[in-house]
Amino acid sequence: MARPFLGAFEQLVLAALVRLHKDAYGMAVRQEIAERTGRDIAIGAVYATLDRLEQKGFVVSRTGESTPERGGKAKRYFDLTAAGEQALRDSVGQLQRMVKGLKLGWTS
Amino acid sequence: MDLMNSPRLARGILRLFLPRETRDAVTGDLEEGFARAASPRAWYWKQVMRSIAPSIGMRWRSPGVLRIGVAAVLSYLVLAACVIGLEAAISPFVDAPTLPYILLNLLVGTIGAISAGSVIAVMVPMAPMKAVKIFAGFLGVMALISFAVEFGRAPLWYQIVLLCLGPSAAYLGGRLTSGRRIASGA
């Protein structure tokens, strides 16, 4: 079976999960991406990507605690699977091989 | 900032589009963001509006009402196309409702139902047999309605065979297709 590829945003989300470790839930992932990339992402887009990654077997979800700040709604945490870690590693490796040796200003 | 201050209308709109299993997590996250945002109400509304399209995408990817409903309608159109196509093709050559016509009608209806079951299994790959069973049930209901409407006008044996054959053929089509996809690793 062909190895599945990650989209650009999927890579960002998986990398955020690695950084957040056990504290990765929707809003935290969104914030991590916003702080590191400057991108203002809709929370729905984060969950849609996490949902897609879960269907691919790259993440698993678990229900967390609810708090008064969240209106009593429980958090949904996401953890990277071994397959997800491998997919991210492959994806980063591909990009590194692609840009290796390239100099900045190559279009000028 | 408590739940009562976040825009209820915006929250209600988003909950309509979100899949059931994600609603609480997403709206809970939005409450957190609302509590921290500089312009909370504007931020909340912007997040909701931008989250509608991804939410519909999530619903489409889950084997829920939206996906199964659209798949069932398309599958039923496949079945109808087969049966209507047959009637157009054979009516110049075979008189209705003679026995050869009825048998051909059942044959093509069966092929149509197998095709329709196959279509729905392809369209709902995440839960093909769930969708096929719902569709077979729907065909059974349609056959019952036809039985009631056509009672006395069509041969009884034909009505009973149709009642049994349609749903079974759709189930078979779905089963064959989902089994083939599992075997090929799709």
Side-chain angles (χ1 to χ4, degrees), chain A residues 1 25-27 30-31 40-45 47-49 51-52 55 69-71 73-76, chain B residues 3 15 21-22 24-33 35-36 43 46-47 50-51 54 58 61 185:
Chain A
M1 190 162 65
Y25 65 102
M27 187 53 80
R30 180 189 171 271
Q31 247 162 277
D40 179 23
I41 310 292
I43 191 69
Y47 273 93
T49 303
D51 180 62
R52 209 162 47 240
Q55 288 188 4
E69 187 194 29
R70 297 174 57 84
K73 304 282 193 294
K75 286 180 185 176
R76 192 164 156 213
Chain B
L3 187 63
R15 284 183 76 91
E21 59 274 12
T22 316
D24 281 358
V26 174
T27 51
D29 282 0
L30 284 175
E31 294 309 315
E32 271 190 36
R36 298 174 206 158
W43 179 88
K46 188 177 165 189
Q47 280 294 311
R50 291 174 63 200
S51 295
M58 270 196 281
R61 277 193 301 275

mmCIF file of all heavy atoms in Angstrom, chain A residues 1 25-27 30-31 40-45 47-49 51-52 55 69-71 73-76, chain B residues 3 15 21-22 24-33 35-36 43 46-47 50-51 54 58 61 185:
data_model
loop_
_atom_site.group_PDB
_atom_site.id
_atom_site.type_symbol
_atom_site.label_atom_id
_atom_site.label_comp_id
_atom_site.label_asym_id
_atom_site.label_seq_id
_atom_site.Cartn_x
_atom_site.Cartn_y
_atom_site.Cartn_z
ATOM 1 N N MET A 1 0.848 -1.192 0.000
ATOM 2 C CA MET A 1 0.000 0.000 0.000
ATOM 3 C C MET A 1 0.886 1.245 0.000
ATOM 4 O O MET A 1 1.891 1.287 0.694
ATOM 5 C CB MET A 1 -0.882 -0.025 1.259
ATOM 6 C CG MET A 1 -1.966 1.023 1.259
ATOM 7 S SD MET A 1 -3.285 0.697 2.446
ATOM 8 C CE MET A 1 -2.461 0.817 3.984
ATOM 9 N N TYR A 25 -4.766 19.910 22.745
ATOM 10 C CA TYR A 25 -6.188 19.925 22.423
ATOM 11 C C TYR A 25 -6.402 21.074 21.440
ATOM 12 O O TYR A 25 -5.486 21.856 21.190
ATOM 13 C CB TYR A 25 -7.063 20.060 23.682
ATOM 14 C CG TYR A 25 -6.936 21.350 24.439
ATOM 15 C CD1 TYR A 25 -7.902 22.344 24.317
ATOM 16 C CD2 TYR A 25 -5.861 21.576 25.297
ATOM 17 C CE1 TYR A 25 -7.789 23.542 25.001
ATOM 18 C CE2 TYR A 25 -5.748 22.772 25.986
ATOM 19 C CZ TYR A 25 -6.722 23.754 25.844
ATOM 20 O OH TYR A 25 -6.601 24.936 26.528
ATOM 21 N N GLY A 26 -7.599 21.171 20.885
ATOM 22 C CA GLY A 26 -7.857 22.056 19.753
ATOM 23 C C GLY A 26 -7.321 23.470 19.911
ATOM 24 O O GLY A 26 -6.523 23.957 19.093
ATOM 25 N N MET A 27 -7.731 24.153 20.981
ATOM 26 C CA MET A 27 -7.340 25.556 21.164
ATOM 27 C C MET A 27 -5.836 25.687 21.388
ATOM 28 O O MET A 27 -5.205 26.621 20.899
ATOM 29 C CB MET A 27 -8.118 26.171 22.335
ATOM 30 C CG MET A 27 -7.926 27.667 22.506
ATOM 31 S SD MET A 27 -8.245 28.637 21.004
ATOM 32 C CE MET A 27 -10.017 28.731 21.016
ATOM 33 N N ARG A 30 -4.154 25.350 18.056
ATOM 34 C CA ARG A 30 -4.376 26.589 17.297
ATOM 35 C C ARG A 30 -3.427 27.692 17.746
ATOM 36 O O ARG A 30 -2.813 28.379 16.924
ATOM 37 C CB ARG A 30 -5.830 27.035 17.457
ATOM 38 C CG ARG A 30 -6.152 28.299 16.698
ATOM 39 C CD ARG A 30 -7.530 28.846 17.029
ATOM 40 N NE ARG A 30 -7.654 30.152 16.431
ATOM 41 C CZ ARG A 30 -7.304 31.293 17.032
ATOM 42 N NH1 ARG A 30 -6.844 31.263 18.274
ATOM 43 N NH2 ARG A 30 -7.422 32.447 16.412
ATOM 44 N N GLN A 31 -3.302 27.818 19.064
ATOM 45 C CA GLN A 31 -2.440 28.850 19.625
ATOM 46 C C GLN A 31 -0.979 28.603 19.297
ATOM 47 O O GLN A 31 -0.234 29.522 18.997
ATOM 48 C CB GLN A 31 -2.620 28.901 21.133
ATOM 49 C CG GLN A 31 -3.254 30.176 21.630
ATOM 50 C CD GLN A 31 -3.798 30.011 23.015
ATOM 51 O OE1 GLN A 31 -4.904 29.511 23.204
ATOM 52 N NE2 GLN A 31 -3.018 30.387 23.991
ATOM 53 N N ASP A 40 -3.470 32.838 11.578
ATOM 54 C CA ASP A 40 -4.693 32.890 12.375
ATOM 55 C C ASP A 40 -5.653 31.832 11.825
ATOM 56 O O ASP A 40 -6.305 32.040 10.816
ATOM 57 C CB ASP A 40 -5.321 34.295 12.281
ATOM 58 C CG ASP A 40 -6.609 34.400 13.078
ATOM 59 O OD1 ASP A 40 -6.798 33.598 14.022
ATOM 60 O OD2 ASP A 40 -7.433 35.273 12.756
ATOM 61 N N ILE A 41 -5.707 30.701 12.520
ATOM 62 C CA ILE A 41 -6.467 29.546 12.008
ATOM 63 C C ILE A 41 -7.824 29.471 12.696
ATOM 64 O O ILE A 41 -7.942 29.758 13.894
ATOM 65 C CB ILE A 41 -5.705 28.229 12.305
ATOM 66 C CG1 ILE A 41 -4.251 28.324 11.864
ATOM 67 C CG2 ILE A 41 -6.383 27.041 11.649
ATOM 68 C CD1 ILE A 41 -4.040 28.406 10.380
ATOM 69 N N ALA A 42 -8.843 29.075 11.948
ATOM 70 C CA ALA A 42 -10.166 28.852 12.565
ATOM 71 C C ALA A 42 -10.125 27.556 13.353
ATOM 72 O O ALA A 42 -9.501 26.575 12.929
ATOM 73 C CB ALA A 42 -11.234 28.766 11.484
ATOM 74 N N ILE A 43 -10.779 27.549 14.507
ATOM 75 C CA ILE A 43 -10.781 26.354 15.355
ATOM 76 C C ILE A 43 -11.398 25.161 14.618
ATOM 77 O O ILE A 43 -10.972 24.013 14.796
ATOM 78 C CB ILE A 43 -11.511 26.631 16.702
ATOM 79 C CG1 ILE A 43 -11.283 25.500 17.703
ATOM 80 C CG2 ILE A 43 -12.993 26.853 16.515
ATOM 81 C CD1 ILE A 43 -9.866 25.412 18.214
ATOM 82 N N GLY A 44 -12.362 25.420 13.763
ATOM 83 C CA GLY A 44 -12.988 24.349 12.979
ATOM 84 C C GLY A 44 -11.999 23.687 12.038
ATOM 85 O O GLY A 44 -12.024 22.468 11.842
ATOM 86 N N ALA A 45 -11.083 24.492 11.473
ATOM 87 C CA ALA A 45 -10.071 23.944 10.571
ATOM 88 C C ALA A 45 -9.108 23.039 11.335
ATOM 89 O O ALA A 45 -8.671 22.004 10.820
ATOM 90 C CB ALA A 45 -9.315 25.077 9.889
ATOM 91 N N TYR A 47 -9.819 21.269 14.064
ATOM 92 C CA TYR A 47 -10.514 20.012 14.359
ATOM 93 C C TYR A 47 -10.742 19.174 13.104
ATOM 94 O O TYR A 47 -10.672 17.938 13.161
ATOM 95 C CB TYR A 47 -11.841 20.292 15.068
ATOM 96 C CG TYR A 47 -11.682 20.412 16.556
ATOM 97 C CD1 TYR A 47 -11.476 21.654 17.143
ATOM 98 C CD2 TYR A 47 -11.679 19.281 17.371
ATOM 99 C CE1 TYR A 47 -11.276 21.765 18.511
ATOM 100 C CE2 TYR A 47 -11.486 19.390 18.737
ATOM 101 C CZ TYR A 47 -11.284 20.632 19.307
ATOM 102 O OH TYR A 47 -11.076 20.738 20.650
ATOM 103 N N ALA A 48 -11.014 19.820 11.985
ATOM 104 C CA ALA A 48 -11.203 19.070 10.740
ATOM 105 C C ALA A 48 -9.922 18.326 10.370
ATOM 106 O O ALA A 48 -9.952 17.174 9.934
ATOM 107 C CB ALA A 48 -11.619 20.011 9.612
ATOM 108 N N THR A 49 -8.777 19.013 10.575
ATOM 109 C CA THR A 49 -7.484 18.381 10.262
ATOM 110 C C THR A 49 -7.189 17.248 11.244
ATOM 111 O O THR A 49 -6.735 16.172 10.838
ATOM 112 C CB THR A 49 -6.371 19.433 10.290
ATOM 113 O OG1 THR A 49 -6.709 20.464 9.361
ATOM 114 C CG2 THR A 49 -5.030 18.837 9.909
ATOM 115 N N ASP A 51 -9.363 15.501 12.821
ATOM 116 C CA ASP A 51 -10.308 14.436 12.487
ATOM 117 C C ASP A 51 -9.777 13.597 11.328
ATOM 118 O O ASP A 51 -9.804 12.356 11.342
ATOM 119 C CB ASP A 51 -11.660 15.082 12.128
ATOM 120 C CG ASP A 51 -12.714 14.061 11.762
ATOM 121 O OD1 ASP A 51 -13.057 13.240 12.635
ATOM 122 O OD2 ASP A 51 -13.197 14.085 10.616
ATOM 123 N N ARG A 52 -9.248 14.292 10.323
ATOM 124 C CA ARG A 52 -8.699 13.608 9.150
ATOM 125 C C ARG A 52 -7.479 12.782 9.544
ATOM 126 O O ARG A 52 -7.309 11.644 9.100
ATOM 127 C CB ARG A 52 -8.304 14.667 8.110
ATOM 128 C CG ARG A 52 -8.385 14.205 6.677
ATOM 129 C CD ARG A 52 -8.421 15.352 5.685
ATOM 130 N NE ARG A 52 -7.442 16.381 5.913
ATOM 131 C CZ ARG A 52 -7.740 17.663 6.147
ATOM 132 N NH1 ARG A 52 -9.000 18.063 6.186
ATOM 133 N NH2 ARG A 52 -6.786 18.544 6.336
ATOM 134 N N GLN A 55 -8.540 9.650 11.279
ATOM 135 C CA GLN A 55 -9.010 8.640 10.336
ATOM 136 C C GLN A 55 -7.844 7.963 9.628
ATOM 137 O O GLN A 55 -7.938 6.786 9.261
ATOM 138 C CB GLN A 55 -9.959 9.269 9.308
ATOM 139 C CG GLN A 55 -11.298 9.641 9.900
ATOM 140 C CD GLN A 55 -12.313 10.091 8.866
ATOM 141 O OE1 GLN A 55 -12.064 10.068 7.668
ATOM 142 N NE2 GLN A 55 -13.473 10.508 9.340
ATOM 143 N N GLU A 69 -14.468 27.558 32.926
ATOM 144 C CA GLU A 69 -14.060 28.464 31.860
ATOM 145 C C GLU A 69 -14.572 27.971 30.502
ATOM 146 O O GLU A 69 -14.848 28.765 29.599
ATOM 147 C CB GLU A 69 -12.528 28.565 31.824
ATOM 148 C CG GLU A 69 -12.016 29.624 30.855
ATOM 149 C CD GLU A 69 -10.528 29.504 30.561
ATOM 150 O OE1 GLU A 69 -9.984 28.398 30.621
ATOM 151 O OE2 GLU A 69 -9.924 30.549 30.244
ATOM 152 N N ARG A 70 -14.716 26.662 30.354
ATOM 153 C CA ARG A 70 -15.162 26.068 29.088
ATOM 154 C C ARG A 70 -16.671 25.828 29.082
ATOM 155 O O ARG A 70 -17.169 25.079 28.241
ATOM 156 C CB ARG A 70 -14.434 24.738 28.853
ATOM 157 C CG ARG A 70 -12.943 24.876 28.693
ATOM 158 C CD ARG A 70 -12.289 23.488 28.601
ATOM 159 N NE ARG A 70 -12.845 22.703 27.507
ATOM 160 C CZ ARG A 70 -12.448 22.792 26.253
ATOM 161 N NH1 ARG A 70 -11.498 23.659 25.926
ATOM 162 N NH2 ARG A 70 -12.994 22.041 25.301
ATOM 163 N N GLY A 71 -17.375 26.427 30.022
ATOM 164 C CA GLY A 71 -18.817 26.217 30.106
ATOM 165 C C GLY A 71 -19.166 24.781 30.434
ATOM 166 O O GLY A 71 -20.218 24.270 30.043
ATOM 167 N N LYS A 73 -17.741 22.150 29.315
ATOM 168 C CA LYS A 73 -17.513 21.224 28.189
ATOM 169 C C LYS A 73 -16.121 20.600 28.331
ATOM 170 O O LYS A 73 -15.148 21.291 28.614
ATOM 171 C CB LYS A 73 -17.573 21.980 26.846
ATOM 172 C CG LYS A 73 -18.864 22.749 26.613
ATOM 173 C CD LYS A 73 -19.983 21.828 26.199
ATOM 174 C CE LYS A 73 -21.193 22.557 25.668
ATOM 175 N NZ LYS A 73 -21.880 23.380 26.641
ATOM 176 N N ALA A 74 -16.037 19.299 28.107
ATOM 177 C CA ALA A 74 -14.771 18.589 28.272
ATOM 178 C C ALA A 74 -13.833 18.892 27.111
ATOM 179 O O ALA A 74 -14.269 19.125 25.982
ATOM 180 C CB ALA A 74 -15.020 17.084 28.360
ATOM 181 N N LYS A 75 -12.533 18.846 27.427
ATOM 182 C CA LYS A 75 -11.527 18.978 26.374
ATOM 183 C C LYS A 75 -11.386 17.651 25.649
ATOM 184 O O LYS A 75 -11.658 16.580 26.214
ATOM 185 C CB LYS A 75 -10.160 19.319 26.990
ATOM 186 C CG LYS A 75 -10.042 20.740 27.490
ATOM 187 C CD LYS A 75 -8.661 20.972 28.075
ATOM 188 C CE LYS A 75 -8.595 22.358 28.679
ATOM 189 N NZ LYS A 75 -7.305 22.613 29.356
ATOM 190 N N ARG A 76 -10.946 17.743 24.393
ATOM 191 C CA ARG A 76 -10.627 16.520 23.655
ATOM 192 C C ARG A 76 -9.150 16.605 23.298
ATOM 193 O O ARG A 76 -8.743 17.473 22.521
ATOM 194 C CB ARG A 76 -11.493 16.425 22.401
ATOM 195 C CG ARG A 76 -11.443 15.074 21.729
ATOM 196 C CD ARG A 76 -12.593 14.932 20.744
ATOM 197 N NE ARG A 76 -12.274 13.942 19.722
ATOM 198 C CZ ARG A 76 -12.676 13.996 18.462
ATOM 199 N NH1 ARG A 76 -13.417 14.999 18.048
ATOM 200 N NH2 ARG A 76 -12.342 13.052 17.616
ATOM 201 N N LEU B 3 -20.451 31.453 30.415
ATOM 202 C CA LEU B 3 -21.054 30.968 29.182
ATOM 203 C C LEU B 3 -22.114 31.924 28.671
ATOM 204 O O LEU B 3 -22.302 32.090 27.477
ATOM 205 C CB LEU B 3 -21.649 29.590 29.458
ATOM 206 C CG LEU B 3 -22.183 28.829 28.259
ATOM 207 C CD1 LEU B 3 -21.079 28.511 27.283
ATOM 208 C CD2 LEU B 3 -22.826 27.529 28.703
ATOM 209 N N ARG B 15 -23.075 24.744 16.242
ATOM 210 C CA ARG B 15 -23.462 23.411 16.711
ATOM 211 C C ARG B 15 -24.316 22.680 15.678
ATOM 212 O O ARG B 15 -24.291 21.456 15.584
ATOM 213 C CB ARG B 15 -24.212 23.510 18.042
ATOM 214 C CG ARG B 15 -23.285 23.779 19.231
ATOM 215 C CD ARG B 15 -24.059 23.791 20.545
ATOM 216 N NE ARG B 15 -24.393 22.449 20.963
ATOM 217 C CZ ARG B 15 -23.640 21.692 21.759
ATOM 218 N NH1 ARG B 15 -22.486 22.142 22.206
ATOM 219 N NH2 ARG B 15 -24.022 20.481 22.104
ATOM 220 N N GLU B 21 -19.975 14.297 17.827
ATOM 221 C CA GLU B 21 -18.870 13.912 18.715
ATOM 222 C C GLU B 21 -17.862 15.046 18.925
ATOM 223 O O GLU B 21 -17.007 14.948 19.796
ATOM 224 C CB GLU B 21 -18.162 12.662 18.176
ATOM 225 C CG GLU B 21 -17.580 12.795 16.785
ATOM 226 C CD GLU B 21 -18.567 12.489 15.668
ATOM 227 O OE1 GLU B 21 -19.794 12.386 15.959
ATOM 228 O OE2 GLU B 21 -18.147 12.361 14.521
ATOM 229 N N THR B 22 -17.956 16.107 18.130
ATOM 230 C CA THR B 22 -16.980 17.199 18.217
ATOM 231 C C THR B 22 -17.578 18.467 18.845
ATOM 232 O O THR B 22 -16.839 19.374 19.210
ATOM 233 C CB THR B 22 -16.470 17.538 16.793
ATOM 234 O OG1 THR B 22 -16.191 16.354 16.097
ATOM 235 C CG2 THR B 22 -15.192 18.363 16.827
ATOM 236 N N ASP B 24 -19.020 19.487 21.722
ATOM 237 C CA ASP B 24 -18.652 19.979 23.055
ATOM 238 C C ASP B 24 -17.208 20.459 23.091
ATOM 239 O O ASP B 24 -16.904 21.508 23.680
ATOM 240 C CB ASP B 24 -18.868 18.876 24.097
ATOM 241 C CG ASP B 24 -20.325 18.743 24.488
ATOM 242 O OD1 ASP B 24 -21.162 19.530 23.988
ATOM 243 O OD2 ASP B 24 -20.646 17.845 25.295
ATOM 244 N N ALA B 25 -16.315 19.697 22.463
ATOM 245 C CA ALA B 25 -14.891 20.067 22.464
ATOM 246 C C ALA B 25 -14.687 21.412 21.772
ATOM 247 O O ALA B 25 -13.979 22.293 22.282
ATOM 248 C CB ALA B 25 -14.061 18.979 21.791
ATOM 249 N N VAL B 26 -15.314 21.596 20.606
ATOM 250 C CA VAL B 26 -15.122 22.837 19.845
ATOM 251 C C VAL B 26 -15.739 24.022 20.575
ATOM 252 O O VAL B 26 -15.099 25.080 20.727
ATOM 253 C CB VAL B 26 -15.724 22.709 18.423
ATOM 254 C CG1 VAL B 26 -15.644 24.050 17.695
ATOM 255 C CG2 VAL B 26 -14.994 21.649 17.616
ATOM 256 N N THR B 27 -16.953 23.885 21.042
ATOM 257 C CA THR B 27 -17.608 25.016 21.717
ATOM 258 C C THR B 27 -16.916 25.321 23.044
ATOM 259 O O THR B 27 -16.812 26.483 23.429
ATOM 260 C CB THR B 27 -19.109 24.762 21.929
ATOM 261 O OG1 THR B 27 -19.305 23.499 22.556
ATOM 262 C CG2 THR B 27 -19.854 24.771 20.599
ATOM 263 N N GLY B 28 -16.413 24.298 23.708
ATOM 264 C CA GLY B 28 -15.631 24.532 24.916
ATOM 265 C C GLY B 28 -14.359 25.322 24.619
ATOM 266 O O GLY B 28 -14.004 26.261 25.357
ATOM 267 N N ASP B 29 -13.679 24.970 23.529
ATOM 268 C CA ASP B 29 -12.481 25.710 23.124
ATOM 269 C C ASP B 29 -12.815 27.160 22.796
ATOM 270 O O ASP B 29 -12.059 28.079 23.121
ATOM 271 C CB ASP B 29 -11.848 25.054 21.889
ATOM 272 C CG ASP B 29 -11.059 23.800 22.228
ATOM 273 O OD1 ASP B 29 -10.996 23.436 23.422
ATOM 274 O OD2 ASP B 29 -10.506 23.185 21.296
ATOM 275 N N LEU B 30 -13.948 27.358 22.135
ATOM 276 C CA LEU B 30 -14.356 28.724 21.787
ATOM 277 C C LEU B 30 -14.637 29.536 23.046
ATOM 278 O O LEU B 30 -14.365 30.743 23.083
ATOM 279 C CB LEU B 30 -15.587 28.704 20.883
ATOM 280 C CG LEU B 30 -15.319 28.324 19.418
ATOM 281 C CD1 LEU B 30 -16.627 28.207 18.643
ATOM 282 C CD2 LEU B 30 -14.418 29.354 18.744
ATOM 283 N N GLU B 31 -15.180 28.899 24.079
ATOM 284 C CA GLU B 31 -15.409 29.619 25.339
ATOM 285 C C GLU B 31 -14.088 30.068 25.952
ATOM 286 O O GLU B 31 -13.975 31.176 26.471
ATOM 287 C CB GLU B 31 -16.176 28.744 26.341
ATOM 288 C CG GLU B 31 -17.592 28.411 25.929
ATOM 289 C CD GLU B 31 -18.398 29.640 25.537
ATOM 290 O OE1 GLU B 31 -18.349 30.659 26.261
ATOM 291 O OE2 GLU B 31 -19.065 29.599 24.480
ATOM 292 N N GLU B 32 -13.087 29.202 25.876
ATOM 293 C CA GLU B 32 -11.753 29.580 26.371
ATOM 294 C C GLU B 32 -11.221 30.781 25.614
ATOM 295 O O GLU B 32 -10.717 31.732 26.199
ATOM 296 C CB GLU B 32 -10.764 28.420 26.152
ATOM 297 C CG GLU B 32 -10.678 27.425 27.274
ATOM 298 C CD GLU B 32 -9.509 26.472 27.064
ATOM 299 O OE1 GLU B 32 -8.456 26.899 26.555
ATOM 300 O OE2 GLU B 32 -9.669 25.296 27.421
ATOM 301 N N GLY B 33 -11.316 30.716 24.292
ATOM 302 C CA GLY B 33 -10.827 31.800 23.448
ATOM 303 C C GLY B 33 -11.601 33.088 23.688
ATOM 304 O O GLY B 33 -11.038 34.175 23.708
ATOM 305 N N ALA B 35 -12.942 34.054 26.427
ATOM 306 C CA ALA B 35 -12.529 34.635 27.707
ATOM 307 C C ALA B 35 -11.232 35.426 27.581
ATOM 308 O O ALA B 35 -10.982 36.337 28.368
ATOM 309 C CB ALA B 35 -12.372 33.527 28.743
ATOM 310 N N ARG B 36 -10.405 35.084 26.589
ATOM 311 C CA ARG B 36 -9.084 35.714 26.465
ATOM 312 C C ARG B 36 -8.997 36.757 25.362
ATOM 313 O O ARG B 36 -8.059 37.526 25.308
ATOM 314 C CB ARG B 36 -8.021 34.654 26.172
ATOM 315 C CG ARG B 36 -7.854 33.626 27.243
ATOM 316 C CD ARG B 36 -6.889 32.544 26.793
ATOM 317 N NE ARG B 36 -7.144 31.298 27.481
ATOM 318 C CZ ARG B 36 -6.779 30.101 27.026
ATOM 319 N NH1 ARG B 36 -6.133 29.998 25.890
ATOM 320 N NH2 ARG B 36 -7.060 29.009 27.714
ATOM 321 N N TRP B 43 -14.403 38.274 17.823
ATOM 322 C CA TRP B 43 -13.554 37.108 17.671
ATOM 323 C C TRP B 43 -14.386 35.839 17.566
ATOM 324 O O TRP B 43 -14.150 34.994 16.699
ATOM 325 C CB TRP B 43 -12.584 37.004 18.869
ATOM 326 C CG TRP B 43 -11.692 35.815 18.794
ATOM 327 C CD1 TRP B 43 -10.478 35.736 18.174
ATOM 328 C CD2 TRP B 43 -11.949 34.526 19.360
ATOM 329 N NE1 TRP B 43 -9.966 34.466 18.307
ATOM 330 C CE2 TRP B 43 -10.850 33.699 19.035
ATOM 331 C CE3 TRP B 43 -12.995 33.968 20.100
ATOM 332 C CZ2 TRP B 43 -10.763 32.377 19.422
ATOM 333 C CZ3 TRP B 43 -12.919 32.633 20.486
ATOM 334 C CH2 TRP B 43 -11.798 31.845 20.143
ATOM 335 N N LYS B 46 -16.266 35.591 14.262
ATOM 336 C CA LYS B 46 -15.324 35.321 13.166
ATOM 337 C C LYS B 46 -14.916 33.844 13.176
ATOM 338 O O LYS B 46 -14.873 33.189 12.120
ATOM 339 C CB LYS B 46 -14.100 36.226 13.336
ATOM 340 C CG LYS B 46 -13.126 36.205 12.180
ATOM 341 C CD LYS B 46 -11.994 37.200 12.428
ATOM 342 C CE LYS B 46 -10.846 36.939 11.477
ATOM 343 N NZ LYS B 46 -9.653 37.750 11.848
ATOM 344 N N GLN B 47 -14.646 33.326 14.357
ATOM 345 C CA GLN B 47 -14.274 31.910 14.473
ATOM 346 C C GLN B 47 -15.415 31.013 13.988
ATOM 347 O O GLN B 47 -15.176 30.028 13.286
ATOM 348 C CB GLN B 47 -13.932 31.562 15.926
ATOM 349 C CG GLN B 47 -12.539 31.972 16.354
ATOM 350 C CD GLN B 47 -11.476 31.182 15.612
ATOM 351 O OE1 GLN B 47 -11.525 29.958 15.529
ATOM 352 N NE2 GLN B 47 -10.514 31.883 15.042
ATOM 353 N N ARG B 50 -15.818 31.146 10.133
ATOM 354 C CA ARG B 50 -14.718 30.482 9.433
ATOM 355 C C ARG B 50 -14.681 28.992 9.706
ATOM 356 O O ARG B 50 -13.984 28.245 9.023
ATOM 357 C CB ARG B 50 -13.390 31.130 9.840
ATOM 358 C CG ARG B 50 -13.236 32.550 9.321
ATOM 359 C CD ARG B 50 -11.994 33.211 9.864
ATOM 360 N NE ARG B 50 -10.797 32.507 9.415
ATOM 361 C CZ ARG B 50 -9.613 32.597 9.998
ATOM 362 N NH1 ARG B 50 -9.448 33.358 11.063
ATOM 363 N NH2 ARG B 50 -8.579 31.935 9.538
ATOM 364 N N SER B 51 -15.435 28.534 10.705
ATOM 365 C CA SER B 51 -15.423 27.109 11.062
ATOM 366 C C SER B 51 -16.565 26.320 10.411
ATOM 367 O O SER B 51 -16.590 25.087 10.512
ATOM 368 C CB SER B 51 -15.500 26.948 12.587
ATOM 369 O OG SER B 51 -14.334 27.489 13.187
ATOM 370 N N PRO B 54 -15.206 23.942 7.354
ATOM 371 C CA PRO B 54 -14.517 22.734 7.845
ATOM 372 C C PRO B 54 -15.450 21.787 8.592
ATOM 373 O O PRO B 54 -15.265 20.567 8.537
ATOM 374 C CB PRO B 54 -13.449 23.304 8.805
ATOM 375 C CG PRO B 54 -13.283 24.717 8.448
ATOM 376 C CD PRO B 54 -14.564 25.176 7.844
ATOM 377 N N MET B 58 -16.126 17.852 7.962
ATOM 378 C CA MET B 58 -16.052 16.781 8.980
ATOM 379 C C MET B 58 -17.284 15.913 8.924
ATOM 380 O O MET B 58 -17.215 14.690 9.013
ATOM 381 C CB MET B 58 -15.944 17.408 10.376
ATOM 382 C CG MET B 58 -14.533 17.652 10.827
ATOM 383 S SD MET B 58 -14.414 17.954 12.596
ATOM 384 C CE MET B 58 -14.932 19.673 12.683
ATOM 385 N N ARG B 61 -17.179 13.569 6.072
ATOM 386 C CA ARG B 61 -16.247 12.439 6.224
ATOM 387 C C ARG B 61 -16.745 11.409 7.233
ATOM 388 O O ARG B 61 -16.196 10.320 7.297
ATOM 389 C CB ARG B 61 -14.864 12.962 6.658
ATOM 390 C CG ARG B 61 -14.005 13.445 5.509
ATOM 391 C CD ARG B 61 -12.562 13.649 5.960
ATOM 392 N NE ARG B 61 -12.492 14.626 7.043
ATOM 393 C CZ ARG B 61 -12.446 15.938 6.848
ATOM 394 N NH1 ARG B 61 -12.474 16.419 5.640
ATOM 395 N NH2 ARG B 61 -12.386 16.758 7.868
ATOM 396 N N GLY B 185 -7.092 -3.536 -0.007
ATOM 397 C CA GLY B 185 -6.443 -2.609 0.906
ATOM 398 C C GLY B 185 -6.886 -1.172 0.699
ATOM 399 O O GLY B 185 -6.241 -0.249 1.183
#
